[in-house]
Amino acid sequence: MNRVQSLRGLLPPTQVVYYRKPIHIERGSMQWLYDTDGRKYLDMFGGIVTVSVGHCHPTVNAALEEQSKKLWHTTSIYLTTPMLEYAEALTAKLPDPLKVVFFVNSGSEANDLAIKLARLHTGRFDMLSLRNGYHGMTQSVIGATNIASWKHPLPSGFGILKAMLPDPLNGPWGGRNCRDCEIPAKRECDCGNGPCKAGNKYLKEFSDCLGADFPAATGPAAFLAESIQGIGGTVQYPKNFLPQAFDAVKARGGLCIADEVQTGFGRLGTHFWGFEANGVLPDMITMAKGIGNGFPIGAVVTTVEIAKALGQGLYFNTYGGNPLAAAVGKAVLKVIEEEKLQENAHIVGEYFLKQLAAIDSPLIADVRGKGLMIGVEMVDESGAPMPSTRMCDIFEYTKDKGVLVGKGGPKGNVFRIKPPMCITKADVDQCVSVIAEAIKACK
Ligand code: PMP
């Protein structure tokens, strides 16, 4: 990432600009973006996992236009048909008892509200999240976001403890073969047909943290985790970790919150929600990004019982569930279903993972992910994380060749590929050949 000092009218320190020569985007259509010089880019990052069904998708655009002629805004103190219809359509995508929705405007706001709900419902304060997780930027949720580069030198969101990250690549115990990924790992693991030994070790560490860091008489208010870590570099836990971690938290009377901001809405292919792919049932789900295909929408879905806790005071959100957002959200759900985008994410995603894994380069330490949520971890010739300048060289090269990918991980050495779910195998071929060429070219 490169901070540009002269951005007309924008405050430089707050503006993170990805490229050395930043791109100036003018318009988008499905998986394509066009800059002000008319150059076309294949968008493999989808506005950071946000453009779920395609830029300016005609069905979504039409729903927005139609609603904009009827009603923009009233605030949620009045009922509106778009909000009611959308609440019904969204909760229909979730299993019982997750049937109550609160609409907000972003992922940070959704997590902020979920934390408040958990604390009110349990009457406890301290929470647990995972190292290397990202849950937002507000002053409260920054306490759950555990990546140093996103922290400022301020006290941040107290009352959120951090558990060790079950990281199969960089953690001490491995577990790479035991994640939910189609790519055969380079090293065999020794679990045979039994439970993942690495996952159990990470779980022991997690249980120790539950035992040592929370009041013995109670326990945590909640455990907040992404189904696959996004900004942290597409980190997938060993398969047996999350179900047992949820059980351990529930056994202490705590709630489990699944942050589906990146993993929801069919992106993982096999399932509509990441928690389903992990075989767990959370008490709350937080969502944003793909929910609105780029329109600012966020939501918390929970149970009636937990939702009641908010009745201890008033809760209000001026724009949450406004008619425009609700019309867009409903159209996005319709498009995912009608165009079978979850299935596409599954088929094209598997193909993508296999093509990436077939790139013959010692600089690729790991290809991982599920569906269209993919990470490619890079190292240098010595096996150390690829230094930032070389990552940026590769990154700049792919952009100059017309392909946009993302970058992340605590060391900035993971390419993140999370495109609109409408991409094709031909788009995958283009992206993979540009990445392979860029790795070779950037010494
Ligand atoms: N949770 C996750 C998993 C995210 O990736 C993000 C944003 N990157 C957020 C929460 C926060 O969302 P927002 O930027 O809309 O506040």
Side-chain angles (χ1 to χ4, degrees):
M1 262 176 234
N2 177 21
R3 290 190 180 205
V4 173
Q5 293 308 308
S6 157
L7 293 157
R8 289 171 307 182
L10 298 172
L11 183 62
T14 67
Q15 193 67 27
V16 177
V17 175
Y18 244 25
Y19 293 107
R20 289 181 182 134
K21 272 188 274 149
I23 47 172
H24 186 156
I25 299 297
E26 191 166 58
R27 68 189 174 88
S29 172
M30 303 309 283
Q31 61 269 51
W32 303 101
L33 285 171
Y34 300 82
D35 71 12
T36 43
D37 296 325
R39 280 205 65 195
K40 183 178 174 182
Y41 299 91
L42 176 58
D43 183 7
M44 286 292 181
F45 202 28
I48 317 188
V49 210
T50 302
V51 180
S52 43
V53 301
H55 292 281
C56 294
H57 191 289
T59 307
V60 182
N61 275 14
L64 181 61
E65 193 184 347
E66 197 187 319
Q67 185 57 45
S68 75
K69 290 180 195 154
K70 279 194 207 148
L71 181 68
W72 275 43
H73 181 71
T74 67
T75 91
S76 49
I77 55 173
Y78 308 122
L79 298 178
T80 66
T81 304
M83 183 166 72
L84 292 171
E85 285 183 356
Y86 184 39
E88 236 179 281
L90 186 60
T91 51
K93 299 298 286 180
L94 285 153
D96 277 329
L98 296 165
K99 292 295 169 192
V100 181
V101 58
F102 294 93
F103 288 117
V104 294
N105 309 287
S106 70
S108 301
E109 250 190 277
N111 283 323
D112 188 275
L113 177 57
I115 291 170
K116 178 186 270 195
L117 273 162
R119 286 175 170 160
L120 284 170
H121 176 76
T122 58
R124 304 171 180 179
F125 192 78
D126 285 349
M127 312 234 329
L128 194 55
S129 66
L130 291 177
R131 291 229 179 97
N132 199 47
Y134 185 103
H135 298 286
M137 285 281 104
T138 63
Q139 193 53 26
S140 70
V141 296
I142 192 70
T145 291
N146 301 316
I147 307 177
S149 48
W150 295 103
K151 300 268 190 184
H152 290 91
L154 287 169
S156 64
F158 64 96
I160 307 181
L161 291 97
K162 292 100 183 54
M164 180 183 185
L165 171 67
D167 181 346
L169 188 76
N170 298 307
W173 299 307
R176 231 168 134 195
N177 277 11
C178 296
R179 9 173 235 208
D180 190 8
C181 175
E182 296 299 321
I183 300 302
K186 288 180 186 161
R187 277 178 286 129
E188 286 301 316
C189 69
D190 60 357
C191 306
N193 292 326
C196 172
K197 291 179 185 167
N200 286 346
K201 286 183 186 160
Y202 292 115
L203 187 81
K204 160 93 174 47
E205 191 62 36
F206 184 86
S207 303
D208 286 352
C209 172
L210 276 179
D213 295 343
F214 293 90
T218 57
F223 169 48
L224 168 62
E226 293 157 271
S227 293
I228 295 177
Q229 289 188 336
I231 304 271
T234 320
V235 179
Q236 290 177 285
Y237 326 122
K239 261 192 235 171
N240 63 345
F241 173 77
L242 219 48
Q244 294 187 74
F246 270 40
D247 285 350
V249 171
K250 288 183 184 194
R252 295 288 303 274
L255 303 182
C256 294
I257 308 170
D259 182 330
E260 295 283 348
V261 167
Q262 296 207 11
T263 46
F265 296 90
R267 176 160 296 280
L268 302 191
T270 52
H271 298 81
F272 197 82
W273 303 106
F275 71 82
E276 294 171 317
N278 280 310
V280 295
L281 181 63
D283 302 288
M284 275 189 263
I285 323 282
T286 58
M287 35 188 110
K289 289 185 178 278
I291 188 175
N293 196 40
F295 200 90
I297 313 177
V300 179
V301 179
T302 188
T303 69
V304 175
E305 217 38 57
I306 293 169
K308 277 184 190 158
L310 214 50
Q312 296 171 45
L314 289 174
Y315 173 76
F316 180 68
N317 192 309
T318 297
Y319 298 114
N322 73 76
L324 295 177
V328 166
K330 198 173 148 223
V332 168
L333 287 177
K334 183 171 168 226
V335 172
I336 293 173
E337 193 155 327
E338 282 181 1
E339 298 183 5
K340 302 194 181 347
L341 294 183
Q342 182 185 325
E343 288 87 330
N344 195 55
H346 181 45
I347 295 163
V348 178
E350 255 184 34
Y351 177 72
F352 215 147
L353 282 160
K354 287 184 177 142
Q355 296 306 106
L356 284 165
I359 298 177
D360 184 19
S361 169
L363 304 183
I364 297 182
D366 196 26
V367 172
R368 56 180 176 255
K370 191 168 166 57
L372 289 174
M373 173 118 179
I374 295 173
V376 181
E377 183 149 345
M378 306 296 296
V379 289
D380 65 14
E381 284 75 4
S382 74
M386 183 172 276
S388 140
T389 14
R390 194 160 173 196
M391 283 296 286
C392 288
D393 291 345
I394 298 175
F395 204 50
E396 200 76 15
Y397 190 103
T398 52
K399 178 260 294 181
D400 289 341
K401 293 281 169 180
V403 176
L404 306 180
V405 296
K407 207 152 53 68
K411 301 200 169 72
N413 66 325
V414 182
F415 288 117
R416 293 166 58 215
I417 299 175
K418 295 145 185 210
M421 296 188 290
C422 55
I423 61 158
T424 64
K425 286 186 178 174
D427 299 328
V428 172
D429 292 341
Q430 181 185 344
C431 175
V432 172
S433 87
V434 167
I435 289 177
E437 185 186 321
I439 293 173
K440 262 200 199 135
C442 303
K443 299 254 159 48

